[in-house]
Amino acid sequence: MPVEITREYIDQVEEAIEQQNAEFLTSSMADMYPADITTVLYELDTAQSKYVLDLLDPEVGAEILSGLDADVRTNFLKSFTSEEVARYVNLMDSDDAVDILNEQKVQSREEIISFLDNEEKAADIIDLLHYEEDSAGGLMAKELIKVNVNWEVRQCIEEIRRQAEAVEQVYAIYVVDDRDRLIGRIAMKTLILSNDDTPISELFDEDVISIETYRKDTEVVDIMQRYDLEAIPVVDSQGKLMGRITIDDVVDVIQEQAETSIQLMSGITEDVEEDDSVLRLSRARLPWLLVAMVGGLLGAEFIQIFDSEIMLVPAMAGFIPIITATGGNVGIQSSSLIIQTLASKQIIFDNLTQRLFKVLLVALINALIISSLVMGFNLMFNDNPRLSIVVSIALFSVVMLSSLMGTITPMILDRFGINPAVAAGPFITTANDLLGLGVYFFVAHLLLHL
Amino acid sequence: MPVEITREYIDQVEEAIEQQNAEFLTSSMADMYPADITTVLYELDTAQSKYVLDLLDPEVGAEILSGLDADVRTNFLKSFTSEEVARYVNLMDSDDAVDILNEQKVQSREEIISFLDNEEKAADIIDLLHYEEDSAGGLMAKELIKVNVNWEVRQCIEEIRRQAEAVEQVYAIYVVDDRDRLIGRIAMKTLILSNDDTPISELFDEDVISIETYRKDTEVVDIMQRYDLEAIPVVDSQGKLMGRITIDDVVDVIQEQAETSIQLMSGITEDVEEDDSVLRLSRARLPWLLVAMVGGLLGAEFIQIFDSEIMLVPAMAGFIPIITATGGNVGIQSSSLIIQTLASKQIIFDNLTQRLFKVLLVALINALIISSLVMGFNLMFNDNPRLSIVVSIALFSVVMLSSLMGTITPMILDRFGINPAVAAGPFITTANDLLGLGVYFFVAHLLLHL
């Protein structure tokens, strides 16, 4: 069973490393899952982690390395020679091996490949390195079980025996013709329930969904989710079977997508985590802060045009925050909804006018409620009825305009192939701040000087 | 292969429904995947969809119903009699069946169950209905292949034959003792490579990770991801095998979690989609707008205390937006980072002081950069050096304070069992608006009247 890693255990591990007590480390980790050992390594420094990894069974080490975060891994592997890395890469599934090689500089990548003593694996890896990382080809592994349509069940079982060690989880057996083109699949349970001399041609299911190597990883996710697939075979443009993608890789893509959206929405430009360096964290956060700063300075210059009006009615200044905040919030709500729609692709036909009409209707309801409530409050507690009217008209317009802008901006970005989530963050709030200020002072200028 | 659903096809379908042309519908949909038919149904209204569904093979209909969004499904099924629903539920996996029953009112739930003619399924469903929907028991399906440790491979294959139709994807065969307690698993490939008379006790792998029925769905996700499992057996407190959860259900949980976080961050309180009703959409968006409105009105009242100062230095008003915007942005960045850490649980020990020190260090760098740039700009383009100093001191303090608040608030919410993502949305911007205004006017009050 999975174990709970305790503070005490980490302390013991650190002590054992210091005393070079290999005995304690190997025996206490012998029954642990690689994922649990990884948790321990995250608490150690690089040198300590390497000491532990070197003591472990290389198979376990390979699995630990496969499971590390890319950033952590790149850093960690800097303390390894190319030969050491190759020893682990030898033992990995080809897709994990390629991920690691892609993280290395070109020179050490070549070096590691030259040290690979499993020739079949090396050939697979070199082949996989040709594909874009975010394509189906970049996600796939070469390990799969394929059988010729002219075989019988007996040969098929022989092939499984031959591949049994390389292919950890056999989801399905792929059937190819003499030219290696994918023509169908057989489920393991069909095979197990058939006689040894049944021809594959009588058993296999022609209905197999495949995907071409050049497709984007997001398309892979969409198709696997849509058709509820636990694995999908990957083919080249001639229909030749090239590899397969399993659902665990897709889960990683889904989580990355979600994390990217959330980071874009919160105005963080690099893929960072809390335990990154202070400088990296600052750098990831600065760009949007600077954009917002420029927006804020523009706003300040704009407001200064109305200095004389503010001097006459200083209470005007008080309502600046409610105007900008409402614009920002409405804008983010609107863009987040449209981004969700754009991502789900459930709606296949766009009826733009109808959609915008609905957006405006929703905005109208909230605009009326917010502006009436604020009007009521101001008439009761503030003694400038004309300013109260100005504030409510401005709020009303800001809600309407921000809804529209929050809806249209992501659609335009999406059309140009930019991740629309970028529009749900500081970009929309900064733009809406300026929009709100413009509306507010324009209305004030018109009404306060009647 | 999956087909592209075109506008033309939808038009043809609508026409065929109007003319009651069942022939066209059944023949054109005969080769389509259920997921593709679902795409067509999303373009039709309820009556049209029901007409199409009634024409389809019930197995296909059951799969379509299993795959619908919960909201859409609840609405759709209102036009079905309990007997009709039962016909489809009969053909579903027990976990999907329970999801649908949980969406029904108690009375129709009982009615549907009474119409189920597959008694084993009915018993499974009644059993599953006892578990909380967001627990491992609520996620699991009863369909699995289990074998007794005292059997031989031959009996095991017989059992697979018996269950072959019910269990769509056999990830592993679970091994139980005479008291039905889970003691291990066998991979399909092990079975296929063994002789018929080999005892199971010699083949099975004792190393099986299971989870108790009462565990939260998020724990299921964590464990399955951590140990890279494509399926996990679920046991009761006595270790008795109760069901299994497959990775496709977990993918749904992951996506729901991501969507919930994004909605919370964008200030939308209900789980809505763009094609929900105008009223529902407005209602989902109003609560946070109202909170922000109250915050904005408080801000207005607060600023009015400084009316006389603004009258003297009206340019003060101009810098209100940059102060509030910077506070909001920094706050959201900080909370989004800490929320990511809280969710990943990769860091097992909290060293609070050290973490806060790092947060402040990152804030310090950005605060220095932003406030110096703004100072430079103001000294060059504005003729009030004292106000320039006030603005930059306020900006500096706001970045520091908002970082701290953005980090601490999610941690506190998390401690009290509230989803910390709620803090990364309008809540933090509203709070930081007030914080920013307080700091700005406090500094202004001190420095402008020296």
Side-chain angles (χ1 to χ4, degrees):
Chain A
M1 282 303 302
V3 289
E4 185 84 37
I5 310 294
T6 60
R7 168 91 267 175
E8 288 68 41
Y9 181 64
I10 301 288
D11 288 343
Q12 288 171 357
V13 167
E14 286 184 329
E15 210 185 296
I17 294 170
E18 207 174 313
Q19 301 167 348
Q20 312 252 325
N21 181 352
E23 166 60 27
F24 170 79
L25 294 170
T26 46
S27 68
S28 73
M29 289 181 182
D31 286 335
M32 276 166 72
Y33 287 98
D36 291 323
I37 301 179
T38 304
T39 306
V40 176
L41 297 189
Y42 270 115
E43 299 298 316
L44 307 177
D45 66 29
T46 307
Q48 291 172 321
S49 298
K50 182 156 187 328
Y51 181 80
V52 172
L53 205 75
D54 286 342
L55 290 175
L56 298 172
D57 175 356
E59 290 273 359
V60 174
E63 214 172 317
I64 290 175
L65 286 177
S66 302
L68 287 182
D69 273 357
D71 291 354
V72 177
R73 183 165 55 205
T74 315
N75 245 319
F76 188 34
L77 289 183
K78 280 185 190 143
S79 54
F80 286 63
T81 67
S82 296
E83 200 175 347
E84 285 174 319
V85 177
R87 207 161 51 224
Y88 290 113
V89 168
N90 249 326
L91 300 168
M92 289 178 189
D93 280 350
S94 54
D95 55 341
D96 294 327
V98 168
D99 285 347
I100 291 189
L101 287 172
N102 269 322
E103 291 156 23
Q104 305 299 314
K105 298 216 177 69
V106 180
Q107 198 202 330
S108 47
R109 191 186 304 163
E110 301 293 328
E111 267 180 40
I112 295 169
I113 293 175
S114 73
F115 280 119
L116 291 177
D117 47 23
N118 178 337
E119 273 179 42
E120 199 182 331
K121 174 92 37 157
D124 282 350
I125 288 173
I126 290 167
D127 180 37
L128 287 179
L129 279 170
H130 291 132
Y131 299 101
E132 296 288 326
E133 278 185 75
D134 59 352
S135 71
L139 276 181
M140 73 186 181
K142 286 294 205 175
E143 291 81 7
L144 54 80
I145 294 178
K146 82 178 170 198
V147 299
N148 190 296
V149 65
N150 301 316
W151 290 1
E152 290 173 357
V153 167
R154 183 176 298 111
Q155 286 154 292
C156 191
I157 289 175
E158 262 324 296
E159 179 65 20
I160 295 176
R161 194 184 309 278
R162 210 176 63 80
Q163 296 283 344
E165 213 178 320
V167 184
E168 211 177 301
Q169 178 69 31
V170 185
Y171 291 98
I173 293 135
Y174 299 112
V175 181
V176 294
D177 63 12
D178 287 333
R179 293 159 72 183
D180 229 14
R181 282 181 306 208
L182 177 72
I183 56 172
R185 48 168 286 173
I186 308 183
M188 284 290 266
K189 67 179 178 193
T190 312
L191 214 58
I192 225 169
L193 301 178
S194 306
N195 288 325
D196 271 9
D197 51 4
T198 316
I200 295 298
S201 56
E202 284 177 18
L203 286 181
F204 84 99
D205 185 357
E206 287 183 33
D207 187 13
V208 55
I209 298 179
S210 60
I211 194 160
E212 292 85 5
T213 47
Y214 62 83
R215 301 280 207 102
K216 292 278 289 177
D217 55 0
T218 48
E219 285 180 89
V220 178
V221 172
D222 285 346
I223 291 190
M224 289 188 74
Q225 276 206 282
R226 195 179 168 73
Y227 301 105
D228 239 333
L229 309 173
E230 63 281 344
I232 190 169
V234 184
V235 295
D236 70 6
S237 50
Q238 268 78 48
K240 235 179 96 177
L241 180 62
M242 305 302 285
R244 69 156 186 181
I245 299 172
T246 50
I247 191 160
D248 51 314
D249 299 313
V250 163
V251 170
D252 294 342
V253 175
I254 292 176
Q255 284 213 310
E256 268 169 44
Q257 283 178 330
E259 272 177 27
T260 309
S261 298
I262 289 176
Q263 293 210 322
L264 285 175
M265 283 179 65
S266 38
I268 298 172
T269 47
E270 290 175 65
D271 179 22
V272 287
E273 268 157 50
E274 257 213 319
D275 45 352
D276 283 330
S277 76
V278 169
L279 268 184
R280 181 137 191 246
L281 282 169
S282 311
R283 202 180 53 196
R285 297 169 64 159
L286 201 54
W288 276 116
L289 293 181
L290 291 177
V291 170
M293 182 195 79
V294 171
L297 290 175
L298 280 175
E301 293 300 301
F302 175 77
I303 295 174
Q304 276 175 29
I305 303 173
F306 301 90
D307 265 8
S308 52
E309 263 126 333
I310 293 173
M311 227 182 281
L312 283 172
V313 193
M316 262 185 79
F319 294 99
I320 293 175
I322 198 173
I323 301 280
T324 55
T326 307
N329 287 332
V330 168
I332 286 186
Q333 289 180 335
S334 304
S335 32
S336 145
L337 277 179
I338 180 82
I339 287 166
Q340 190 180 317
T341 309
L342 289 171
S344 81
K345 285 180 194 126
Q346 236 167 39
I347 287 90
I348 48 173
F349 312 113
D350 285 348
N351 189 332
L352 192 63
T353 351
Q354 205 178 321
R355 170 170 298 169
L356 290 183
F357 180 74
K358 189 169 172 188
V359 164
L360 286 177
L361 214 59
V362 173
L364 184 68
I365 296 177
N366 289 340
L368 280 174
I369 295 175
I370 299 279
S371 55
S372 321
L373 285 175
V374 169
M375 175 89 90
F377 176 88
N378 278 339
L379 290 179
M380 272 200 284
F381 298 102
N382 287 321
D383 47 6
N384 189 337
R386 202 177 267 185
L387 180 61
S388 305
I389 294 172
V390 167
V391 170
S392 283
I393 292 180
L395 266 179
F396 181 88
S397 323
V398 162
V399 172
M400 300 300 288
L401 286 172
S402 302
S403 288
L404 212 54
M405 230 189 79
T407 307
I408 293 174
T409 319
M411 291 169 76
I412 295 175
L413 291 180
D414 189 59
R415 186 60 58 91
F416 285 101
I418 302 167
N419 187 337
V422 80
F427 174 76
I428 210 89
T429 43
T430 306
N432 280 351
D433 274 5
L434 293 176
L435 183 75
L437 290 174
V439 169
Y440 180 43
F441 282 96
F442 177 70
V443 175
H445 189 70
L446 285 185
L447 288 191
L448 290 184
H449 298 274
L450 281 181
Chain B
M1 283 302 300
V3 289
E4 184 83 36
I5 310 293
T6 61
R7 168 92 267 177
E8 288 67 43
Y9 181 64
I10 302 287
D11 289 342
Q12 287 170 355
V13 168
E14 286 185 328
E15 209 185 296
I17 295 170
E18 207 175 311
Q19 300 169 349
Q20 311 254 323
N21 182 352
E23 167 59 28
F24 170 80
L25 295 170
T26 46
S27 68
S28 73
M29 289 180 182
D31 286 335
M32 277 166 70
Y33 287 99
D36 291 323
I37 302 179
T38 304
T39 306
V40 176
L41 297 189
Y42 270 116
E43 299 296 316
L44 306 176
D45 66 28
T46 307
Q48 290 174 321
S49 298
K50 183 156 187 325
Y51 181 79
V52 172
L53 203 76
D54 286 342
L55 291 175
L56 298 171
D57 175 356
E59 289 273 0
V60 174
E63 214 171 317
I64 290 175
L65 286 177
S66 301
L68 288 181
D69 273 358
D71 291 354
V72 177
R73 183 164 55 205
T74 315
N75 245 320
F76 188 34
L77 290 183
K78 279 186 189 142
S79 55
F80 287 62
T81 65
S82 295
E83 200 176 345
E84 285 174 317
V85 177
R87 208 160 50 224
Y88 291 112
V89 168
N90 249 325
L91 299 168
M92 289 177 189
D93 279 349
S94 55
D95 56 341
D96 295 327
V98 167
D99 285 346
I100 291 188
L101 288 172
N102 269 323
E103 290 156 24
Q104 306 299 315
K105 297 216 176 69
V106 180
Q107 199 203 330
S108 48
R109 190 187 305 163
E110 301 293 329
E111 267 180 39
I112 295 168
I113 293 175
S114 73
F115 280 119
L116 292 176
D117 47 24
N118 178 336
E119 272 179 43
E120 199 182 330
K121 175 91 39 155
D124 282 350
I125 289 173
I126 291 167
D127 179 37
L128 287 180
L129 279 169
H130 291 132
Y131 299 100
E132 296 288 325
E133 278 185 75
D134 60 352
S135 71
L139 276 181
M140 74 185 178
K142 284 296 205 173
E143 291 82 6
L144 54 80
I145 295 179
K146 81 178 170 198
V147 298
N148 190 296
V149 64
N150 300 317
W151 291 0
E152 290 173 358
V153 167
R154 184 175 297 111
Q155 286 155 291
C156 191
I157 290 176
E158 262 325 295
E159 178 64 19
I160 294 176
R161 196 185 306 278
R162 209 176 65 79
Q163 295 283 345
E165 215 178 319
V167 184
E168 214 178 299
Q169 177 70 31
V170 185
Y171 291 98
I173 294 135
Y174 299 113
V175 180
V176 294
D177 65 11
D178 288 333
R179 293 159 72 183
D180 230 14
R181 282 180 306 207
L182 177 72
I183 56 173
R185 47 168 287 173
I186 308 183
M188 284 289 267
K189 66 180 180 193
T190 313
L191 213 59
I192 225 169
L193 301 177
S194 306
N195 288 325
D196 271 10
D197 51 5
T198 316
I200 296 298
S201 55
E202 284 178 16
L203 288 180
F204 84 100
D205 185 358
E206 286 184 33
D207 186 13
V208 55
I209 298 179
S210 59
I211 193 160
E212 293 86 4
T213 48
Y214 62 84
R215 299 281 207 100
K216 292 278 290 178
D217 54 1
T218 47
E219 285 181 272
V220 178
V221 172
D222 285 345
I223 290 190
M224 289 188 74
Q225 276 206 283
R226 195 179 167 75
Y227 301 105
D228 238 333
L229 308 173
E230 64 281 344
I232 191 169
V234 184
V235 295
D236 70 6
S237 50
Q238 267 78 47
K240 234 178 97 177
L241 180 61
M242 305 302 286
R244 69 156 185 183
I245 298 172
T246 51
I247 192 161
D248 52 314
D249 299 314
V250 163
V251 170
D252 295 342
V253 175
I254 292 176
Q255 284 214 309
E256 267 169 46
Q257 284 177 330
E259 272 177 27
T260 308
S261 299
I262 289 176
Q263 294 210 323
L264 285 175
M265 282 179 66
S266 37
I268 298 172
T269 47
E270 290 176 64
D271 178 22
V272 287
E273 269 157 48
E274 258 213 318
D275 44 352
D276 283 331
S277 76
V278 168
L279 268 182
R280 181 137 191 246
L281 282 169
S282 311
R283 202 180 54 197
R285 297 168 64 160
L286 202 55
W288 275 116
L289 293 181
L290 291 177
V291 170
M293 182 195 79
V294 171
L297 289 175
L298 280 176
E301 293 299 302
F302 174 77
I303 294 175
Q304 276 173 29
I305 301 172
F306 300 90
D307 265 6
S308 52
E309 262 127 334
I310 293 174
M311 226 181 282
L312 283 172
V313 193
M316 261 185 80
F319 294 99
I320 294 176
I322 200 175
I323 300 280
T324 55
T326 307
N329 288 333
V330 169
I332 287 188
Q333 288 180 336
S334 304
S335 31
S336 145
L337 277 179
I338 179 82
I339 288 167
Q340 190 181 316
T341 310
L342 289 171
S344 82
K345 285 179 194 126
Q346 236 167 39
I347 289 90
I348 48 172
F349 312 113
D350 285 348
N351 190 332
L352 192 62
T353 349
Q354 205 179 322
R355 170 169 298 169
L356 290 183
F357 180 74
K358 189 170 172 188
V359 164
L360 286 178
L361 215 57
V362 173
L364 184 67
I365 295 177
N366 288 338
L368 280 175
I369 294 175
I370 299 279
S371 54
S372 324
L373 286 175
V374 169
M375 174 88 89
F377 176 89
N378 278 337
L379 289 178
M380 273 199 285
F381 298 103
N382 288 319
D383 47 5
N384 188 334
R386 203 176 266 184
L387 180 60
S388 306
I389 294 172
V390 167
V391 170
S392 284
I393 292 180
L395 267 178
F396 181 89
S397 322
V398 161
V399 173
M400 300 299 288
L401 287 172
S402 302
S403 289
L404 212 55
M405 231 189 77
T407 307
I408 293 173
T409 320
M411 291 169 76
I412 295 174
L413 292 180
D414 190 58
R415 185 61 57 91
F416 285 101
I418 302 169
N419 186 337
V422 81
F427 175 77
I428 209 89
T429 43
T430 305
N432 279 352
D433 274 4
L434 293 176
L435 183 73
L437 291 175
V439 171
Y440 180 42
F441 282 96
F442 176 71
V443 176
H445 188 71
L446 286 184
L447 288 193
L448 291 183
H449 298 275
L450 280 182

